[in-house]
């Protein structure tokens, strides 16, 4: 699997008329704060942008109808992934669209698997070897609360 560094996340809600950009250090970022200040929401937002569905999402966050963009570096190449509801778009470092998807399992997962050089296949309920969803890409790095 390739080396990925999350550079920043941008969150936008037209409903709440708010936006937030969070920059991450290329070596290490520590997210700290009191309880109920949004630490987990930041991590879940990254996870969500890549096509996963965290087990617990705050109802207020759901109703905000958030659009998110995660800028990341994969090996030595920069990319951005955008999520708005069930639409995903991936852009290269020049802002060129390199992929647009509306289905996670059959479209986004195979694309990300190739991009990340993630060659794992798992057996589905029909005993067929399939590319797992992006949640499996993050398994070594993120466990939902």
């Amino acid at each position: 699997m390739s080396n990925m560094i999350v550079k920043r996340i941008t969150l936008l809600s037209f409903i709440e008329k708010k936006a937030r950009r969070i920059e991450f250090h290329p070596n290490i970022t520590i997210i700290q704060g009191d309880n109920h200040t949004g630490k987990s929401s930041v991590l879940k937002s990254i996870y969500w942008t890549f096509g996963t569905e965290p087990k617990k999402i705050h109802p207020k966050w759901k109703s905000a109808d958030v659009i998110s963009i995660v800028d990341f570096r994969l090996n030595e190449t920069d990319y951005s992934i955008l999520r708005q509801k069930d639409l995903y778009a991936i852009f290269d470092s020049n802002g060129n669209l390199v992929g647009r998807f509306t289905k996670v399992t059959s479209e986004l997962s195979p694309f990300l698997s190739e991009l990340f050089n993630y060659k794992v296949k798992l057996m589905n309920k029909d005993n067929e070897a399939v590319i797992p969803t992006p949640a499996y890409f993050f398994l070594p790095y993120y466990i939902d609360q």
Side-chain angles (χ1 to χ4, degrees):
M1 189 162 158
S2 300
N3 181 31
M4 182 181 83
I5 296 172
V6 176
K7 297 170 62 176
R8 79 186 58 82
I9 185 168
T10 305
L11 304 167
L12 172 67
S13 170
F14 288 113
I15 290 171
E16 291 191 349
K17 298 180 182 164
K18 292 181 181 178
R20 167 161 271 173
R21 174 173 280 168
I22 301 168
E23 302 279 341
F24 299 101
H25 191 277
N27 294 327
I28 190 168
T29 298
I30 297 172
I31 300 173
Q32 66 180 19
D34 293 333
N35 289 339
H36 307 290
T37 57
K39 302 178 301 294
S40 294
S41 294
V42 171
L43 297 175
K44 288 179 184 187
S45 295
I46 294 168
Y47 193 64
W48 180 82
T49 305
F50 278 90
T52 65
E53 296 298 329
K55 187 173 183 176
K56 295 179 184 177
I57 297 178
H58 195 283
K60 190 174 178 183
W61 193 88
K62 282 184 180 182
S63 67
D65 196 21
V66 174
I67 300 167
S68 62
I69 300 172
V70 172
D71 299 306
F72 64 99
R73 173 164 285 163
L74 193 58
N75 298 321
E76 298 300 316
T77 306
D78 290 337
Y79 295 94
S80 299
I81 183 168
L82 174 141
R83 181 172 182 182
Q84 180 179 15
K85 296 182 182 172
D86 292 330
L87 171 68
Y88 303 86
I90 299 178
F91 302 89
D92 67 15
S93 60
N94 296 318
N96 298 312
L97 181 68
V98 295
R100 181 185 181 280
F101 315 96
T102 57
K103 294 178 177 56
V104 174
T105 304
S106 62
E107 297 174 0
L108 181 64
S109 291
F111 182 87
L112 290 178
S113 175
E114 192 67 33
L115 186 67
F116 280 72
N117 194 29
Y118 184 78
K119 301 299 180 185
V120 172
K121 291 198 175 183
L122 300 175
M123 303 306 280
N124 69 8
K125 63 183 176 186
D126 298 323
N127 210 26
E128 301 167 330
V130 296
I131 297 168
T133 63
Y136 288 87
F137 301 176
F138 292 101
L139 195 57
Y141 311 105
Y142 176 78
I143 298 172
D144 201 357
Q145 297 178 15

